[in-house]
Amino acid sequence: MNSRDSKWRTELRAAMLPKERTAIPRVKMPELDPSYRVTTLNHEVNQGLSREQAVLEATRCLDCPDPQCVSGCPVNINIPGFIKNIERRNFDQALVELRKTSALPAVCGRVCPQEKQCESKCIYNRMKKEPVAIGYLERFAADNASAPTAARPESNGIKVAVAGSGPAGLSFAGAMASLGYEVTVFEALHAVGGVLIYGIPEFRLPNSIVEKEINALRDLGVRFETNTVIGKTLSYDQLLEMGFKALFVASGAGLPRFMNIPGENLVNIMSSNEYLTRINLMHAGTPGYATPVPRPKTVAIIGGGNTAMDSCRTARRMGAEKVMVVYRRSDAEMPARVEEVKHAREEGVEFLTLHNPIEYVGDDHGRVRAMRLQRMELGEPDSDGRRSPRPVEGAIVEIPVDLVIVSIGVSPNPIIPAAIDGLDVTTRGTIAVNGESLQSSLPNLYAGGDIVRGGATVILAMGDGRRAAKALHSQLNPQNS
C-alpha cells in the first residue's frame, strides 16, 4: 500500500458513522502455537498487533463524550486520546499520551486485567458486543512508537528514597523524577523490576520489555541501587541522615501462604513464589546456571489466580507431562484472567475445580507422592461475592503427584514494618496509611502497592505510586502542588 492509499483509508475510517464502526469485529491477537510454546520459556505467547490490525481496532472506538473506560483505569489514562492517535497513525503521539499517566505502558498492556477494568466500562458492553481491545492497543503503542525521551527536569535538590522496584515503586519514582526530585530506588535483589522480573514469566512479560521501561526512568534521572534491603542494609534513620527527605515503601508482599495441612512439609512441596523466582530470576533449568529446581513429570498447582496460571504454564515448559490446577471453587469464581486460563488449557493443563487438598502423602524418602483432595460444592456467596465452597461429605480422592506448588496468596513483606519504630501496622501486617494520600503514621513515610493492599494487580500498585507522589509533592512543595 502506498502512502496515498494509506491516507485515503485513514480519512475514510475517520468519516465512518458510529454504526459502521460498531460493525467491525474486535481484533484477534496473534499467538504462538501451543505445541511450540510449551517447549520454550522465553518466547512470548501473544505476538502483538500489526499496524493495520491496530489502526482498524482503534477505528472501533466511538470517542464517547463521557468515556467510562478512563474511570475504569486506576491511573486514569486518557484512553480515547491515545487510541485516536493510533487511528490517525500518529503512533508516537499515542505513546506520549500514555506516558502522561503511566510509567509502564508496555507492561500494563500485557499483564493488566483490562477485562475487569477499562474494557469492562466500554460502551460496547451495553451493545452486547466485544469491547475495544484497549490493552492490545496500549501494548502496540508502547512497542511500536518512539515517543521522544522526556527532557530531564532541572533538579529541585530534594532527595527522595524508594524501597522496592516493583510497579508501585517504579510508578512513584517516575512521577517524582518528572517533578525534579532526586529519586533513588533501593532494591533488595540483584535485579531491578521486583515482581515484574521474578514473578511473571518471560512468555507473558519479557524481561527486555521491563528493562526498556526501567531505562526510560533512568533517562529521567532515577537512580537504582540493588542488593540493598531497607530495614536491614540501611535503616530508615540512616536514609534521613543521608539527606533523603522522604521514603516511599513499595516492598511488596513476598511472604507465601500455606494451608497448614498434614504433609505440607514434605520434600517437593513449595510456594509459587519460590518456584517462579528460581526459574525467572535465578534461571533454574537454563544451561550454564546451577540453580536447582524440581523437574518431575506430575505436578499440581494449588490455587486459581494469575500466579497459579504462571506456575502451571511454567511447569509444562519445564518438562512436566501432567499438570493439574486444583481449585476449590468453580471456573466461574476463578480469579485468574480469562486469557491466562485459556492459554493454560491450550497448553495441556488440567483443571480440578471444586477440589481442595486436605492432606499430602509421602514416600519412604520424605518426598510427596500423592495428594488427598476433598470434593467441594458451592454454597452461599462470601464477603467478596463469590459463592463459598463447602465439603461434600465422604467425597475424597487420592491422586499421585511428584511436585506441589502452593499458590493461595501472599502476605506483606515484614522486614520494613518490623524495623521502623512508630510505624503503624494493621493486623494483616500491612502498613497503615491514609486512604487518600497513602501517608503513614510517620509524616515523611508513604507506602503503596502490596505492602498496603496485601496482594493486588500491577496497575493498582502503579495507581498507588502516582497518588503517593502527588501527595508527597504537595507536602514538600505546597506552593507548587
Side-chain angles (χ1 to χ4, degrees):
M1 183 190 301
N2 60 42
S3 59
R4 183 176 179 181
D5 289 340
S6 176
K7 181 179 179 181
W8 176 81
R9 287 185 64 182
T10 301
E11 291 175 349
L12 178 63
R13 287 173 180 140
M16 292 172 72
L17 297 173
K19 185 176 181 181
E20 295 171 308
R21 291 173 180 263
T22 61
I24 302 171
R26 176 178 162 121
V27 70
K28 301 298 182 185
M29 172 67 76
E31 300 174 353
L32 289 180
D33 183 82
S35 63
Y36 168 73
R37 68 195 195 214
V38 296
T39 67
T40 173
L41 282 165
N42 302 321
H43 289 183
E44 191 173 7
V45 171
N46 284 341
Q47 294 290 285
L49 303 181
S50 68
R51 292 194 170 202
E52 290 305 314
Q53 285 178 311
V55 171
L56 188 59
E57 181 62 23
T59 303
R60 296 181 66 225
C61 177
L62 299 179
D63 200 13
C64 304
D66 181 21
Q68 293 301 302
C69 56
V70 176
S71 66
C73 173
V75 296
N76 298 120
I77 289 172
N78 179 7
I79 292 170
F82 94 79
I83 288 179
K84 287 303 167 182
N85 275 296
I86 293 177
E87 184 180 347
R88 292 189 289 267
R89 294 179 179 267
N90 193 344
F91 306 136
D92 289 356
Q93 188 58 39
L95 184 53
V96 169
E97 286 295 329
L98 281 165
R99 288 206 179 278
K100 286 179 180 178
T101 51
S102 175
L104 308 170
V107 172
C108 291
R110 287 168 164 83
V111 304
C112 284
Q114 292 95 4
E115 68 277 6
K116 297 178 182 178
Q117 295 175 338
C118 55
E119 292 181 14
S120 73
K121 304 290 186 180
C122 180
I123 195 170
Y124 275 95
N125 293 301
R126 302 182 194 175
M127 305 177 192
K128 307 299 183 184
K129 294 177 180 288
E130 290 189 284
V132 174
I134 298 169
Y136 293 172
L137 293 175
E138 181 179 17
R139 168 186 167 150
F140 171 84
D143 288 357
N144 292 276
S146 54
T149 302
R152 184 179 297 191
E154 182 178 351
S155 172
N156 60 17
I158 301 175
K159 294 171 60 177
V160 175
V162 182
S165 65
L170 295 178
S171 179
F172 175 89
M176 293 299 282
S178 67
L179 294 169
Y181 291 89
E182 298 180 9
V183 183
T184 301
V185 178
F186 296 96
E187 168 56 47
L189 299 175
H190 63 275
V192 177
V195 70
L196 303 176
I197 292 291
Y198 71 77
I200 303 179
E202 288 209 67
F203 57 78
R204 194 153 73 90
L205 177 63
N207 288 348
S208 60
I209 296 297
V210 179
E211 185 63 26
K212 178 182 176 182
E213 302 283 41
I214 290 170
N215 284 337
L217 295 176
R218 286 193 172 102
D219 290 341
L220 269 178
V222 178
R223 296 178 63 246
F224 293 91
E225 297 285 346
T226 56
N227 301 307
T228 305
V229 183
I230 301 301
K232 293 290 185 181
T233 313
L234 283 175
S235 70
Y236 177 58
D237 289 339
Q238 285 175 314
L239 287 174
L240 297 180
E241 291 170 2
M242 293 164 65
F244 290 99
K245 299 301 181 184
L247 169 66
F248 178 67
V249 179
S251 52
L255 191 64
R257 295 177 188 162
F258 287 90
M259 298 178 66
N260 297 317
I261 60 177
E264 207 168 28
N265 61 343
L266 289 167
V267 175
N268 284 356
I269 296 178
M270 61 198 311
S271 71
S272 56
N273 280 36
E274 180 181 359
Y275 183 69
L276 292 173
T277 299
R278 284 173 179 264
I279 296 167
N280 297 337
L281 183 65
M282 302 170 70
H283 306 290
T286 301
Y289 291 87
T291 306
V293 72
R295 301 183 69 169
K297 297 302 182 183
T298 304
V299 180
I301 286 80
I302 314 302
N306 288 324
T307 304
M309 297 306 109
D310 288 340
S311 299
C312 69
R313 298 175 66 198
T314 296
R316 285 286 289 126
R317 287 160 172 78
M318 293 295 286
E321 296 173 357
K322 183 181 179 65
V323 178
M324 300 163 282
V325 169
V326 179
Y327 181 58
R328 61 181 183 156
R329 291 182 168 94
S330 71
D331 283 353
E333 288 78 30
M334 192 172 292
R337 295 189 66 189
V338 172
E339 181 180 69
E340 299 307 313
V341 175
K342 166 185 170 291
H343 284 165
R345 292 187 189 278
E346 290 172 348
E347 293 164 10
V349 175
E350 301 177 25
F351 283 76
L352 298 177
T353 54
L354 290 171
H355 283 83
N356 199 40
I358 57 172
E359 183 181 3
Y360 299 110
V361 182
D363 63 15
D364 293 338
H365 302 284
R367 295 186 294 257
V368 63
R369 67 166 181 82
M371 57 182 176
R372 290 187 177 140
L373 304 180
Q374 169 71 62
R375 175 75 177 174
M376 310 295 286
E377 62 182 4
L378 295 179
E380 296 302 315
D382 62 13
S383 58
D384 295 325
R386 293 187 298 172
R387 295 175 63 193
S388 300
R390 59 191 182 195
V392 177
E393 187 176 353
I396 297 174
V397 60
E398 183 171 300
I399 298 177
V401 66
D402 304 314
L403 171 65
V404 175
I405 301 167
V406 181
S407 183
I408 59 170
V410 288
S411 297
N413 190 314
I415 294 177
I416 290 179
I420 301 179
D421 292 336
L423 182 63
D424 288 349
V425 179
T426 71
T427 56
R428 298 185 299 126
T430 57
I431 295 177
V433 296
N434 177 293
E436 292 300 318
S437 68
L438 297 174
Q439 184 182 41
S440 76
S441 54
L442 301 177
N444 291 336
L445 190 150
Y446 290 69
D450 290 354
I451 191 64
V452 169
R453 296 177 178 272
T457 62
V458 167
I459 192 66
L460 287 173
M462 288 177 58
D464 286 353
R466 285 187 59 81
R467 285 167 51 213
K470 180 180 179 181
L472 179 58
H473 178 57
S474 178
Q475 175 186 336
L476 297 176
N477 278 289
Q479 71 276 14
N480 297 322
S481 60

